[in-house]
Amino acid sequence: MRVAFVSTERDWGGGEVQLVRLGSLLSERGDEVLFLASAAGKLREAVPTGATCTLRTFPGRGRSPWSWLRARAALRAFRPQVVYLNDPRGVLLGGLASLGMGIPRIAARRAAFPIRSPGKYRRFADRIICVSKQVAAICRESGLPAERLRVVYDGADVERYAEIDRAEAAAAVRSLVDAHRGPSDVPVLLTAGKLTECKGHHVLLDALSRLVDRRWVLILLGEGERREALASRAAALGLADRVIMPGFRDDLPLLLCGTDVFVFPSLQEGLGSTVIEAMAAGVPIVATTAGGLPELLQPDEGPPIGLSVPPGDAEALATAIGAVLDDPESHADTRRARELARQRFSFDRMVGDTRAVMAELLA
């Protein structure tokens, strides 16, 4: 199978991680893969080019006629059997670039909020892959045809967590805290994600300001436009010496395995692939009920595998974090979380389910 992936994002986020992993694994399994990416984007630096995986770029964010012409030329040369459109601007770019070629198109939908321009999905997407049932419900409410929607959960490299030495992980976390002159010998909270408003990091800081009499330090991983505002908020709340912001790190699995509590305060979330990583790591989880997060932490069968609170509720978040700090074993079924991550949210399953949607279009 020949598959072309289109991404217009300049930044590096969860959607880009999933896309690169999907394309890489398809390439490893013998499919021919083309990545069409912005020349100014970070994704192009992560694409593993080789015999069955190539990269072509276009200028800007795909909005200009030059971008469309460059993308169209790349598609004509590659002759894909399926085009995969990874973000909203990519739907327009890839849709216009492939007009008249008769190529089936798949659009990914990751955000859990109403679609602003549903028309382009109806015009350019033969299938829409939604990362959760909640995202699929929002797509239906936005007017997209239900028969085109398919739910494919994001994945994680869940098997690698079994290979991580917990003592080494704890040492790595302690070294990071020490390097930033954080408090020593206290429980470590960790959150990770793009530093944007919708991730709810400001709510987490407000929650932690209610726990100043407790022993903890927070590692806040990620980059984004809210970085300076969050640092200022932490200082204003008197938390500057207990909130560490080391930016983006590529050793998240190691850090997760050495962390005491993973907190995910998102206000809007399609699914939450970082929560899948925390599940695979077997770390106690406190998260909100935003978007598709309950599909991870509140499975249909059995009790919840972490504590969930309403999005934006700092008081409830503080209470849940405090409860886990007091008695983590009573509030987190980490063994079952690891099992669910392996069974339902592996990269292998994500690739297989996505390939099944592609095969459906080609049948």
Side-chain angles (χ1 to χ4, degrees), residues 171-182 190 219 221 244 246 249 255:
V173 169
R174 182 50 53 201
S175 176
L176 177 59
V177 173
D178 291 343
H180 288 78
R181 299 180 180 180
L190 185 144
I219 299 175
L221 296 178
I244 296 170
R249 300 269 300 206
L255 297 178

Side-chain angles (χ1 to χ4, degrees), residues 79-275:
R79 296 180 294 110
Q81 294 169 278
V82 178
V83 177
Y84 186 103
L85 314 169
N86 198 55
D87 55 75
R89 281 184 296 272
V91 172
L92 186 59
L93 171 64
L96 290 172
S98 60
L99 274 176
M101 295 185 182
I103 307 170
R105 292 173 292 231
I106 295 173
R109 188 66 191 171
R110 304 181 180 281
F113 50 79
I115 300 175
R116 295 177 182 176
S117 305
K120 65 184 177 184
Y121 287 87
R122 288 194 293 266
R123 174 67 179 85
F124 293 129
D126 300 290
R127 293 291 184 273
I128 298 111
I129 285 183
C130 307
V131 298
S132 67
K133 295 175 184 176
Q134 178 63 24
V135 169
I138 292 172
C139 286
R140 288 193 295 271
E141 292 167 3
S142 297
L144 298 186
E147 63 271 17
R148 297 190 197 179
L149 305 179
R150 301 291 183 272
V151 174
V152 176
Y153 289 119
D154 281 345
D157 190 358
V158 295
E159 298 300 332
R160 64 179 170 180
Y161 284 92
E163 304 170 359
I164 295 176
D165 182 270
R166 298 289 161 152
E168 179 185 347
V173 169
R174 182 50 53 201
S175 176
L176 177 59
V177 173
D178 291 343
H180 288 78
R181 299 180 180 180
S184 59
D185 299 321
V186 299
V188 177
L189 314 176
L190 185 144
T191 189
K194 195 173 181 180
L195 304 185
T196 59
E197 186 78 16
C198 69
K199 292 299 183 181
H201 297 117
H202 59 290
V203 180
L204 174 57
L205 294 178
D206 288 349
L208 292 176
S209 72
R210 293 162 165 80
L211 298 172
V212 291
D213 59 333
R214 305 292 297 273
R215 299 172 65 250
W216 56 265
V217 62
L218 171 68
I219 299 175
L220 202 169
L221 296 178
E223 294 286 357
E225 67 267 17
R226 293 282 298 167
R227 181 183 177 86
E228 291 186 9
L230 290 169
S232 297
R233 193 182 193 101
L237 293 170
L239 305 177
D241 60 341
R242 303 173 73 175
V243 176
I244 296 170
M245 300 179 66
F248 173 78
R249 300 269 300 206
D250 59 8
D251 57 350
L252 176 63
L254 183 67
L255 297 178
L256 279 172
C257 288
T259 295
D260 295 291
V261 184
F262 178 76
V263 187
F264 201 69
S266 189
L267 305 178
Q268 292 179 326
E269 199 67 39
L271 182 64
S273 57
T274 314
V275 177

Side-chain angles (χ1 to χ4, degrees), residues 325-346:
L325 288 174
D326 286 339
D327 190 0
E329 293 185 3
S330 296
H331 297 287
D333 190 343
T334 56
R335 181 189 60 81
R336 186 158 163 265
R338 288 193 294 266
E339 290 176 357
L340 284 174
R342 286 194 295 267
Q343 293 169 5
R344 300 182 182 180
F345 305 111
S346 68

